Amino acid sequence: MLKATIDAEIFRESIDAIAALVTECRLHTEEDMLVTRAVDTANVAMVSLELKSTAFDAYSATAGELGLDIAKMKNILGMMGRGDALTLNLLDEERKLELAFKGYKYSITLLDASTIRKDPSPPTIELPGKAVISGSALNNAIKAAAVISDKIALGIDPDAMTFYMEAEGDTDHIKLALGEDELVALNPVGARSLFSLDYLKDMGKVMAKADEVEVNLGVDHPVKFAFDIADGNGRVEYLLAPRIEAD
Amino acid sequence: MLFMEFSRYCEQLEGISGRLEMIDTVSRVLPSLTDEELPIFVRFIMGRVFPDWSPLKLGIGPNLLYDAVAYVAGARKGAVREAINTLGDVGLAVEGLLATKEQQSFFIEELDLVEVYRDFERMAVAGGHRSQRGKLLVARKLFGNARPLEGRYLARLMLEELRIGMGEGNVRDAIAKAFGVDVALVEHAHQAAGDLGEVALVARKGPDALQEVEIEVFRPVKMMLAQQGTIAERIEEYGDVAVEYKYDGSRFQFHRKGDECRIYSRRLEDVTVGLPDIARHLMAATDRDIILDGEAIAVKDGRPMPFQYVIRRFRRKHQVDAMMEEIMLVPRVFDILYLDGETLIDRPLSERRRILEEVLADHVAPQVRTHDAAAAEEIYARALDQGHEGVMVKVLESRYLPGIRGRQWVKVKPGVDTLDLAVIGAEWGEGRRTGVFGSFLLACRDEAGRLLPVGKVATGLSDEMLAEVHALLKDLVIAGSGKEVTFEPQVVFEVGYAEIQTSPNYSSGYALRFPRFVRLRVDKGVDEVETLDGIRDRYARQKNGAGSSP
């Protein structure tokens, strides 16, 4: 069971965070939050999202699972504006989710959850390097790198006390190093890994809206980005597998 | 069965050159498969995904495949193309890219044979404006979970060219051997059902079940084809023959059950929507449940119109009415395959013809039986005089052999110096032809199904035709360097030539002298292009005496 009311903008933000990686997902309803965890089709990127009941104007739910067509939801939510109240109502028997806003009433057929990939279990990995940076600065760096290359190195230089991003094109090179002054926080442990900008570009658009993004890094290890949504009443984590260059 | 096991069998078969050993290898696998796996395995091993009659088509172009592989391997699309260029094979290129991929993944899910098939089904049904995106996501998932060897065969399956040399004949024999049934029974069931995957399932039940396989309405049967030949030859060999006009139209198969009918093209595509006049004519001529084989021809003022008028209608899906006023089509029916629940393909032509004349009130193509070569030649002359292509000479006892180009049906045409060849490459044009392809590399097919180049054609194409051909080919480019591009073979040209010569320049060993484009054969697939044997044969028969064996 799920019946809830929320600012449409907040819900859209949550759906966009998922849509950056997958077109469909299993959404779990719990008594005090909505939770989802999904992996992209190539098993390279994962998203996990929590949206607490406190993010809603009204929320009542029991434990359950529903299959969501994320791409369709994104299109529908695109028509709503900030401040519009959105009411979600799960019609269990009909396997439909009703979205009501401003007199519109959408009834969306749910996907059979069993046809959607199971929730991936997050890998246990140690990522000792940590930097906290504004989402817009992170997104700008990703966009700058994408101009000249299809991959980007993210790293921490403990001697220079910087978090850096570096990209190498066929002929061009770009580097951005941010010192402690420009960062919210830094845990200066040496780290460097290479990532595909294909994935980062989509994640970057979502992260751009976050005040602070926590970046966790290792050497030739995945990267984890964690940030708040819904004014601190929800949290998103992205995990992206690295590229490892052959010697 | 895991897809990895399937891939290992493919690899094993690829290394075997002997036919018997291949058959033996496959026959030992088949009994161990479940009922769900068996038909899938049988089709996959031939490089096919769906039965020929199935309306499902994968619809994956090489570009989509490269996108998916590039994404999964963390390579640029250009790097994928380069690998294919270097290795000359999509499968090996994908295998190499997956083996050296930079992009790590969190885990791999084992691919299962049946699951892979289900994913192919998902791709085939993905429709609408998001269809390419939907197909791409599935392709990424498959390659994302594929190990390098699996990648080799996944890529080839997606392009429906497995390159391991398991043709229909070998698979048929393997089925017979696996389940201890007579090859002839397997062949009978195959001709009626049109899908060896399903036939394998029936074979498992035993010989009686195979015997009972019947043709089904709305499941199109491959059409029987004809070889080139002469009237004198046929009459000398068989005595009495049936002579019919060879129409310059397009072959169709008409199915009727109750008040419903469908029409299929020679590629077994449902073309009912484009041919309401043919449907109306034939619905009016019989009320039986029936399958008919015939030719649709365009007629204006009593004279047949050229082929391209007909083919435009076959490809038409919209504004059919407007098109119909312009081009009126009429059916010429010459065979019957099925009547009221009974399969007729095993009966001799003479009997099928008798039944056809009984049940079809109109539109039966005229036929003359004769053992007199002079009389047959006279019909031939009349056919040409009336604007038809020539005549068909058919052996009276001939059974209907779906998909077979046998000696029992022969086509006789004047100056038949044209060949249907696959377009496998091109060069970008210059001058007036800038922006479109200007010359085209053509290929025939050898016994193993490989495409071997026999020459280039650059003349005979109007500007409109060049534009049309460019539109057809531009998404089929799989590799390019400089001005040259290579295509995924899908398009067939009919080309004329003055002479066939031996040539060290092309791997077929032959080349065409003065090749010219005659027409686009959208009704033909690349599996129907001229065979190397056919070219060898034409070379040997050339009148100028140049035709000694190369």
Side-chain angles (χ1 to χ4, degrees), chain B residues 285-348:
Chain B
T286 180
D287 54 7
R288 314 283 288 263
D289 290 351
I290 207 164
I291 299 178
L292 301 170
D293 185 3
E295 190 98 358
I297 59 170
V299 176
K300 197 176 179 186
D301 306 328
R303 272 189 80 84
M305 302 282 288
F307 172 78
Q308 52 263 41
Y309 287 91
V310 185
I311 206 67
R312 265 160 71 191
R313 283 285 302 280
F314 267 69
R315 294 163 73 188
R316 197 79 181 180
K317 292 203 175 75
H318 310 290
Q319 296 171 304
V320 173
D321 285 351
M323 201 79 176
M324 234 165 56
E325 278 177 28
E326 206 181 316
I327 309 162
M328 248 326 211
L329 294 187
V330 291
R332 293 283 185 265
V333 178
F334 45 74
D335 219 321
I336 179 167
L337 281 57
Y338 169 100
L339 182 69
D340 296 334
E342 205 178 335
T343 299
L344 304 178
I345 58 174
D346 292 326
R347 312 236 190 140

Side-chain angles (χ1 to χ4, degrees), chain B residues 147-160:
Chain B
R147 296 202 189 81
L149 186 67
E150 293 175 302
R152 184 201 297 181
Y153 296 108
L154 264 181
R156 290 186 187 167
L157 262 181
M158 285 186 192
L159 300 175
E160 302 201 61

Side-chain angles (χ1 to χ4, degrees), chain B residues 87 109 135 192 203 294 297 303 317 331 386 415 427 460 496 517:
Chain B
L87 293 163
E109 284 172 348
K135 286 180 209 279
I297 59 170
R303 272 189 80 84
K317 292 203 175 75
Q386 291 181 15
E427 271 179 44
F517 174 89

Side-chain angles (χ1 to χ4, degrees), chain B residues 416-470:
Chain B
V416 279
D417 289 344
T418 71
L419 293 166
D420 294 329
L421 298 168
V423 183
I424 59 169
E427 271 179 44
W428 287 101
E430 291 173 347
R432 260 162 60 101
R433 294 184 170 186
T434 303
V436 296
F437 302 118
S439 88
F440 302 86
L441 183 61
L442 305 169
C444 65
R445 230 175 154 85
D446 74 1
E447 295 68 35
R450 280 175 306 218
L451 291 169
L452 304 176
V454 287
K456 290 180 181 170
V457 67
T459 54
L461 294 106
S462 65
D463 289 353
E464 292 77 44
M465 185 50 77
L466 281 169
E468 188 176 346
V469 166
H470 179 256

